[in-house]
Amino acid sequence: MASSSKNVFLDVHHRSFLSQSALSAVVKHIQEHGMPKASSRSSIKRTREAALPSNIFTTYQLQMNDGSTKEFPAVAPVDLLEYIVMTCRTFADFMTGLMDSTDTTKWQIVIYTDEVLPGAQLKVNNNRKLVSFYWAFVEYGAKLGVEDCWMHLATIRRSWMTGAKCGWSQVFKELCKLFFRKPKDLASGVVLNLLGHGPCTLFAKIGALIGDAPALQSCWGWKGASGWKCCFFCQNVVLESSELARYDTTGRLVSHCEADVRKLALQTDNALMQSAASLVASLHLPKGRFSEMEKALGINYLAEGALFDQGLQECLNGGPIAITQYDIMHVFYVGGVWNTECGLVLKVLKEEGLLSYKEAHDHLQCWKFPKHFGSRSVTGQQCLVKHLDGEVRCSASEGLSIYGVFRSVFMLIDTSNNIRAQHAVQSYHSLCRVLDMLKELSTANPDTLQRAICDHLNRRLIAHGPTEFQPKCHFSIHIPLFLKGHTRVMSCWVHERKHRELKRYGTQSANSNRKSIAYEAGLLREVVLAQCKRMEDMKFGSIVDLVSPTPCDQHLQQAIQGFLNADMVSEISLAKEAVLNCALHVHAGDVVLQKVGEQEQIGEVYFHCKVMDRFWTCLSLWRHITGNKYQVQDAPCLVATQSIQRCLTHKVAVRSADAEISP
């Protein structure tokens, strides 16, 4: 075969794997900017290491179990923030707008932590198990849903963490202190030089910590959901299976199955710190008695842990209780309330002969999902392929996509003559009302949400009994209380997406020597560099952005100008995909909810366009029939793209043009 420049597309895969999209991007970049002189691995490494200033990386020290002190790599959070606002114009503009509209003396840092599993997840000795920490500011508001607004703080292998005194809690404590190292101490104020806007002073403290229950348990030394006191935010809630509440003569203790908020004795920062002080004062007790005391208080004594460090408490905007939140995603969708509830109602319907698992699976296949979900295979349509009795197993994104479809499936079933099935379906519908509210959490009324959650928990107890009432059901009670006590209640959807980058570099790196920290250092350099490069091109302030726009042909350009009653425009750009608020992807063919004022309309997207500085979407509006049923119509019109609220799941009847929207 004759030699050809095109052979690079064929031969490179035989030597080392490179995805087609990555190969395409590399070739295009070379065509535009030329071939670099050096191409060795060492040259690439040196170039990438020199791309970022060295001061944005730092170290922190951990006390190890063998008595030694060891340094680990981390990102210097303030230095990284300074670098980004001085090099990324759009982010500097975004920060300037926030600083002009908020009190810069009271900003709040939010920290997220979780375990990440790159490499072979089922490997017996997986030395690449990671614990990662990200951070952002609560004041980012809706932009907290954008992955690159969260910055890396540190990543450490779990094998190193287990060798440190108090493990996760000590790491969390030391990383929190990085925000307050002199001379760049956010508590005392830091001057940021914003590109194009000049200097501005920012003050901040740690105002929020989010994560799943095991992560929160590890950070604070809380006994966890498996302990007698199964809730971090309650003083008197104990597991139903412990029977402590049943035999408590004082009447103070209540089961975790209790859905009446008035019976809960909520934990306070003062009470928690008094409990910690009691443990310190009782260190002289025999080991057995001290262990019983830890069980009674619901916390472990961790000498190097975050809860027992007075210096850290001064860095918090409140105390451990005030800043901590259960993550909504893990409460409901990760082996959570929805997964178990959906499995329970499916089991009841199967046992009552009303709906088999195969019939339920077939119903799911009739629905069409937004293309952004379909392209990432997170529709959840295959979640029942191998389903047996038990919880519905799927990813959190799949659960979010499919819960409304299950609701429509259950609506088709006549349960009027079957009380057991009726209770199960009613319980599921009440859960869906809660999930609907959580999708609009920023505008939800805490009291209304509280009533909806308590209504669901009571219905679940009636339908399935206390044995199926997992601790996460109780955790859901606290979400409305977070709404009242926090500026913003957050979830971990964005972080689970951000984990993909850590997994990409963590799996690819061959340097996972257990005696060296080079793996952590190299991993941090890669992910921070990738983020900084992406942020240079991001449009943080834009409401709408077209993906891969192309020029409009003359015939369609005249039609658009006629519809808008506009003068001649030199060029109109068209696109099949638009991104709203850096988060909502709307593709041609998607069915969307469009809202102007109080009027809501349903329609199918034909295309998006940009006319001058305004964005428009061509929709075919559907005629409303009744409830969630619509008549499919070919009635195109142009609407402002920013008026699109969300994409909808739907199905079209085979024998008519009627469409049903997932409620």
Side-chain angles (χ1 to χ4, degrees):
M1 183 177 178
S3 177
S4 168
S5 60
K6 292 184 178 180
N7 284 353
V8 69
F9 299 134
L10 306 174
D11 296 341
V12 70
H13 286 282
H14 298 297
R15 293 180 173 86
S16 60
F17 174 75
L18 194 65
S19 69
Q20 292 185 11
S21 59
L23 180 58
S24 172
V26 170
V27 171
K28 287 180 180 178
H29 198 82
I30 291 174
Q31 290 174 340
E32 295 173 1
H33 302 282
M35 177 68 73
K37 293 181 179 180
S39 60
S40 66
R41 289 181 58 188
S42 57
S43 297
I44 295 172
K45 180 182 178 182
R46 286 194 299 270
T47 302
R48 294 179 69 83
E49 288 180 347
L52 294 174
S54 60
N55 70 303
I56 69 174
F57 297 100
T58 186
T59 60
Y60 62 101
Q61 292 185 338
L62 293 181
Q63 302 299 317
M64 309 304 286
N65 289 326
D66 61 5
S68 64
T69 299
K70 190 171 182 62
E71 284 193 341
F72 291 88
V75 180
V78 180
D79 292 280
L80 176 59
L81 181 64
E82 286 180 331
Y83 173 75
I84 292 176
V85 298
M86 286 192 296
T87 57
C88 178
R89 180 58 183 265
T90 56
F91 188 74
D93 294 342
F94 169 64
M95 287 288 288
T96 301
L98 291 178
M99 290 181 168
D100 290 342
S101 59
T102 59
D103 185 352
T104 56
T105 65
K106 297 180 179 179
W107 274 37
Q108 298 184 70
I109 302 162
V110 52
I111 295 177
Y112 166 80
T113 179
D114 194 14
E115 190 173 75
V116 186
L117 299 176
Q121 296 187 15
L122 299 180
K123 191 176 180 180
V124 176
N125 296 312
N126 187 353
N127 294 324
R128 301 188 188 197
K129 283 186 178 180
L130 307 172
V131 174
S132 194
F133 295 80
Y134 310 135
W135 71 277
F137 289 111
V138 174
E139 285 70 18
Y140 288 170
K143 289 295 190 291
L144 286 170
V146 179
E147 295 168 49
D148 286 322
C149 280
W150 289 84
M151 300 180 191
H152 291 268
L153 187 56
T155 295
I156 180 173
R157 275 173 291 176
R158 190 66 185 264
S159 56
W160 281 120
M161 186 175 284
T162 54
K165 289 182 179 179
C166 309
W168 201 318
S169 190
Q170 186 189 172
V171 176
F172 169 64
K173 175 190 72 174
E174 295 300 329
L175 291 177
C176 287
K177 292 181 178 180
L178 294 180
F179 293 94
F180 310 103
R181 280 185 177 176
K182 303 293 183 181
K184 297 178 180 180
D185 178 357
L186 278 171
S188 302
V190 171
V191 178
L192 298 177
N193 187 14
L194 296 136
L195 181 64
H197 301 278
C200 185
T201 305
L202 178 66
F203 299 79
K205 285 191 172 185
I206 297 172
L209 169 67
I210 60 173
D212 59 13
L216 301 181
Q217 172 185 346
S218 300
C219 285
W220 295 123
W222 160 46
K223 280 287 187 182
S226 60
W228 290 350
K229 295 179 69 173
C230 60
C231 179
F232 186 62
F233 297 96
C234 290
Q235 297 181 12
N236 64 334
V237 172
V238 294
L239 285 175
E240 170 73 15
S241 59
S242 72
E243 298 188 340
L244 290 173
R246 186 177 306 174
Y247 297 107
D248 176 31
T249 57
T250 66
R252 174 175 170 77
L253 298 181
V254 298
S255 163
H256 81 279
C257 297
E258 180 57 63
D260 188 348
V261 182
R262 295 170 297 181
K263 295 183 180 180
L264 307 181
L266 299 178
Q267 183 67 278
T268 65
D269 286 313
N270 287 337
L272 181 64
M273 298 313 295
Q274 287 175 8
S275 296
S278 298
L279 287 179
V280 174
S282 304
L283 289 173
H284 64 280
L285 294 176
K287 186 176 180 179
R289 287 185 60 189
F290 189 78
S291 178
E292 290 297 320
M293 188 174 181
E294 287 180 313
K295 288 182 181 179
L297 294 175
I299 55 176
N300 294 313
Y301 173 68
L302 302 175
E304 298 293 335
L307 193 62
F308 297 87
D309 188 280
Q310 187 58 41
L312 176 63
Q313 305 305 317
E314 296 172 358
C315 301
L316 307 181
N317 187 23
I321 297 296
I323 72 167
T324 306
Q325 301 178 21
Y326 289 136
D327 166 46
I328 300 168
M329 183 188 77
H330 283 87
V331 169
F332 285 97
Y333 293 108
V334 182
V337 179
W338 175 80
N339 301 82
T340 55
E341 179 93 19
C342 191
L344 288 168
V345 67
L346 285 169
K347 181 181 178 182
V348 168
L349 294 176
K350 185 196 73 170
E351 291 176 348
E352 297 299 319
L354 297 174
L355 182 72
S356 69
Y357 294 156
K358 183 182 184 307
E359 289 171 333
H361 169 77
D362 292 341
H363 279 296
L364 300 184
Q365 309 316 302
C366 301
W367 292 81
K368 295 183 179 180
F369 290 78
K371 289 187 178 180
H372 188 60
F373 293 144
S375 63
R376 296 184 294 128
S377 301
V378 292
T379 63
Q381 284 180 296
Q382 306 303 315
C383 65
L384 297 182
V385 170
K386 296 182 179 180
H387 180 71
L388 301 174
D389 291 348
E391 69 178 61
V392 173
R393 296 184 179 274
C394 62
S395 70
S397 296
E398 289 173 331
L400 182 66
S401 302
I402 204 74
Y403 84 84
V405 175
F406 273 112
R407 172 169 48 185
S408 297
V409 171
F410 297 152
M411 284 180 176
L412 300 174
I413 301 171
D414 182 9
T415 61
S416 57
N417 296 322
N418 191 310
I419 297 299
R420 184 184 177 213
Q422 194 175 99
H423 285 160
V425 171
Q426 287 175 350
S427 176
Y428 185 84
H429 289 334
S430 66
L431 171 60
C432 288
R433 285 194 289 272
V434 173
L435 299 179
D436 290 342
M437 293 182 189
L438 293 178
K439 287 166 69 173
E440 307 293 337
L441 193 59
S442 59
T443 57
N445 180 283
D447 294 327
T448 303
L449 179 59
Q450 187 80 75
R451 287 192 294 270
I453 289 174
C454 291
D455 175 63
H456 163 248
L457 297 182
N458 284 319
R459 290 180 184 274
R460 177 164 174 151
L461 281 170
I462 294 171
H464 307 294
T467 57
E468 301 293 350
F469 201 92
Q470 63 194 124
K472 287 186 178 182
C473 293
H474 170 78
F475 295 170
S476 68
I477 290 178
H478 289 279
I479 293 173
L481 303 178
F482 297 155
L483 267 179
K484 293 180 179 180
H486 290 262
T487 305
R488 186 176 184 86
V489 175
M490 288 153 283
S491 67
C492 297
W493 299 101
V494 62
H495 311 104
E496 294 298 322
R497 297 195 302 270
K498 196 172 179 68
H499 286 342
R500 290 178 300 186
E501 189 160 44
L502 271 175
K503 292 178 182 179
R504 182 183 302 125
Y505 290 111
T507 302
Q508 191 180 64
S509 175
N511 184 11
S512 57
N513 190 316
R514 296 182 64 181
K515 297 182 179 180
S516 169
I517 60 171
Y519 180 78
E520 283 83 355
L523 193 57
L524 280 180
R525 282 195 298 269
E526 293 291 352
V527 294
V528 172
L529 176 59
Q531 179 176 6
C532 290
K533 287 299 180 182
R534 283 194 305 271
M535 292 181 78
E536 291 177 3
D537 301 324
M538 286 189 66
K539 301 177 181 179
F540 288 92
S542 64
I543 299 175
V544 180
D545 189 26
L546 299 184
V547 178
S548 302
T550 58
C552 177
D553 65 60
Q554 186 176 4
H555 178 72
L556 186 55
Q557 181 168 334
Q558 291 175 351
I560 292 173
Q561 289 178 169
F563 187 90
L564 296 176
N565 195 24
D567 296 331
M568 290 297 295
V569 180
S570 59
E571 183 177 334
I572 297 177
S573 299
L574 295 182
K576 292 183 178 181
E577 179 185 357
V579 182
L580 282 68
N581 297 313
C582 300
L584 176 61
H585 293 254
V586 183
H587 293 254
D590 284 346
V591 175
V592 298
L593 171 67
Q594 185 254 348
K595 186 175 181 180
V596 178
E598 296 300 318
Q599 183 181 7
E600 295 183 343
Q601 300 182 102
I602 303 294
E604 180 182 353
V605 175
Y606 284 174
F607 61 84
H608 307 281
C609 63
K610 181 180 180 181
V611 182
M612 302 295 285
D613 292 327
R614 300 190 64 184
F615 295 90
W616 301 90
T617 296
C618 183
L619 286 180
S620 174
L621 295 177
W622 292 356
R623 183 175 63 84
H624 181 239
I625 301 174
T626 181
N628 61 329
K629 295 186 182 296
Y630 290 80
Q631 176 74 37
V632 176
Q633 297 184 126
D634 185 14
C637 66
L638 288 179
V639 301
T641 304
Q642 56 264 38
S643 66
I644 295 175
Q645 302 298 300
R646 63 178 182 272
C647 298
L648 303 172
T649 303
H650 69 287
K651 69 175 181 179
V652 179
V654 176
R655 297 183 180 180
S656 69
D658 292 351
E660 182 179 348
I661 305 298
S662 174

